[in-house]
Amino acid sequence: MKLLVTGGAGYIGSHTCVAAFAAGHEITVLDNLCNSSPEALERVERICGKKPRLVVGDIGDRACVRALLDAEKFDATIHFAGLKAVGESVEKPWEYYENNIAGTLVLLDELRRHGVFNFVFSSSATVYGNPDPANLPLREDAPLAALSPYGATKLWLEEMMRAMAKADPRWHFMLLRYFNPVGAHESGLIGEDPGGIPNNLMPYITQVAVGRLKELTIFGRDYPTPDGTCVRDYIHVCDLAEGHVAALAKVADLPGCTAINLGTGCGTSVAQLVASFEKATGRPLPHRYGERRPGDAAACWADATKARELLGWVAKRDCDAMCRDAWRYQSMNPDGYRRG
Ligand code: NAD
Ligand code: UFG
């Protein structure tokens, strides 16, 4: 297939480019590079022997999107482009609504004008809000809620796509709800490259291990979980990337709007992830226990049955592989793509 990949220079996008090339697809990336480096696509070339075409531009820039769609005919879009920091979205809601919602509406409008109706969307487990423990593991029909402006952008875009699919049978939307993507390509060439001090657990851990940060604070040890620390469904980014390839293989056969969890179906606690990481590096990771982080759910993990049944996809890589690969990338690139 000929693919338009928005946000393809980012963390999940660059890994998906590798998986999509391996499956024989052709790729054009549209990315404004607001949270990524073109170096990621150079690295994709080192892994795959070919490079996606990069168009530097914004999904909300109608003239840019139109010119791209006038010039190239695509079979499907994978839409990663968006801002993704929960805390920042509380500080800057307008920027999140503008970038994620207004931007996506321009993209969708130009796609329909150009007859490109296969659309794979980066949604998130954030649409389940703070899940009721009675609903774990989370199925796709669990109740939905937005707890932040970021979460609201995912939920509202999902709602818009459901309505658009109902009104126009030409649309084929896949709403892929990612759980907690971590890890890196096994080559160590591409991985997560957050600017500033990371908010998410795995990049924080790897930056402590490489000496950029002093110690990890584990937020809370009095949750109603087996070891008192929060439980999440960590998924290796390469499994997630392969999930997109599996979705592409089915999108043309699935009209309407289909929501699918991409997770492993297993919960792992923060303390267990730290132990896996220490095993991967063979060294203790400096850490201490601190207060709970406001807003954190005690536990959140996926029921991954629908992905298996509908896409024939299951996550294959375990927590040890996630930690090993995250560590390889961080140690080969101690300052991310800026050096290394
Ligand atoms: P990322 O920031 O590494 O990648 C996003 C890419 O989109 C970046 O390259 C950025 O430059 C680009 N971008 C942002 N706004 C743009 C715009 N208006 N026009 C063009 N390009 C733009 O993030 P990621 O972790 O790869 O996430 C990709 C998608 O997956 C996002 O939509 C995110 O919300 C979603 N998601 C991520 C996670 C996670 O934990 N990483 C979890 C659930 C969902
Ligand atoms: N944690 C720590 N110390 C840290 C960072 C995180 O103990 O320094 C803990 C958190 O308290 C949480 C767990 O590690 O229990 C995972 O935290 P992350 O921030 O890595 O991930 P979240 O599950 O909180 O959030 C992620 C994405 C959100 C998305 C959500 C649901 O960051 O965008 O998953 O998909 F909304």
Side-chain angles (χ1 to χ4, degrees):
M1 280 179 155
K2 193 146 193 277
L3 304 178
L4 172 60
V5 180
T6 74
Y11 171 47
I12 303 171
S14 56
H15 288 82
T16 301
C17 286
V18 171
F21 271 149
H25 298 300
E26 268 180 70
I27 305 169
T28 296
V29 165
L30 173 64
D31 199 307
N32 66 5
L33 304 177
C34 70
N35 195 38
S36 55
S37 161
E39 174 65 19
L41 300 181
E42 305 291 333
R43 305 282 182 97
V44 168
E45 184 176 22
R46 276 167 69 185
I47 297 168
C48 303
K50 51 187 166 179
K51 193 165 96 178
R53 181 165 108 81
L54 172 63
V55 175
V56 178
D58 197 293
I59 53 164
D61 177 347
R62 188 177 288 276
C64 164
V65 176
R66 184 174 291 167
L68 172 56
L69 295 176
D70 281 346
E72 285 187 64
K73 173 88 190 104
F74 294 100
D75 300 302
T77 306
I78 311 182
H79 179 35
F80 295 106
L83 301 176
K84 62 163 183 175
V86 175
E88 184 185 61
S89 79
V90 176
E91 307 294 320
K92 299 181 181 172
W94 187 86
E95 282 76 1
Y96 272 69
Y97 297 140
E98 213 235 341
N99 193 75
N100 293 6
I101 296 188
T104 301
L105 290 181
V106 170
L107 176 69
L108 288 171
D109 192 29
E110 286 303 321
L111 287 169
R112 68 178 176 175
R113 288 165 191 268
H114 288 82
V116 186
F117 287 102
N118 294 321
F119 194 86
V120 176
F121 176 55
S122 292
S123 189
S124 167
T126 195
V127 298
Y128 297 116
N130 201 330
D132 182 339
N135 290 329
L136 295 172
L138 289 162
R139 285 163 39 117
E140 288 78 357
D141 56 5
L144 304 180
L147 302 181
S148 68
Y150 167 70
T153 68
K154 294 297 180 193
L155 191 56
W156 294 348
L157 285 169
E158 281 203 1
E159 284 300 332
M160 287 177 202
M161 288 176 206
R162 274 187 278 276
M164 287 167 68
K166 219 174 187 175
D168 183 343
R170 289 174 300 173
W171 280 112
H172 294 221
F173 288 113
M174 291 257 198
L175 314 178
L176 301 183
R177 295 179 180 156
Y178 314 156
F179 279 67
N180 288 59
V182 296
H185 189 262
E186 62 180 8
S187 64
L189 287 170
I190 53 173
E192 194 168 7
D193 188 23
I197 297 181
N199 297 307
N200 295 118
L201 180 61
M202 183 63 97
Y204 204 102
I205 288 178
T206 58
Q207 293 198 14
V208 170
V210 85
R212 275 169 68 178
L213 296 169
K214 193 166 134 271
E215 66 177 359
L216 170 74
T217 301
I218 297 181
F219 299 137
R221 67 187 313 184
D222 58 350
Y223 283 98
T225 59
D227 62 21
T229 66
C230 291
V231 168
R232 294 288 183 274
D233 187 338
Y234 297 98
I235 173 169
H236 195 296
V237 67
C238 293
D239 278 325
L240 191 65
E242 288 164 13
H244 289 76
V245 173
L248 284 171
K250 286 282 151 64
V251 67
D253 301 333
L254 288 172
C257 202
T258 312
I260 302 180
N261 289 336
L262 293 185
T264 63
C266 300
T268 302
S269 75
V270 178
Q272 285 174 320
L273 195 73
V274 169
S276 267
F277 192 84
E278 289 179 327
K279 190 167 125 197
T281 58
R283 292 200 305 235
L285 183 87
H287 65 276
R288 66 178 189 90
Y289 286 88
E291 294 298 307
R292 288 183 177 196
R293 185 171 68 177
D296 269 346
C300 176
W301 73 94
D303 180 328
T305 310
K306 193 170 173 188
R308 176 166 46 80
E309 290 182 351
L310 217 56
L311 306 180
W313 170 90
V314 285
K316 301 192 211 86
R317 297 159 178 92
D318 64 12
C319 266
D320 289 351
M322 297 176 207
C323 292
R324 205 170 48 237
D325 292 339
W327 174 236
R328 186 181 300 110
Y329 168 76
Q330 184 74 74
S331 41
M332 284 171 62
N333 306 272
D335 295 312
Y337 290 128
R338 285 162 287 278
R339 246 192 291 141

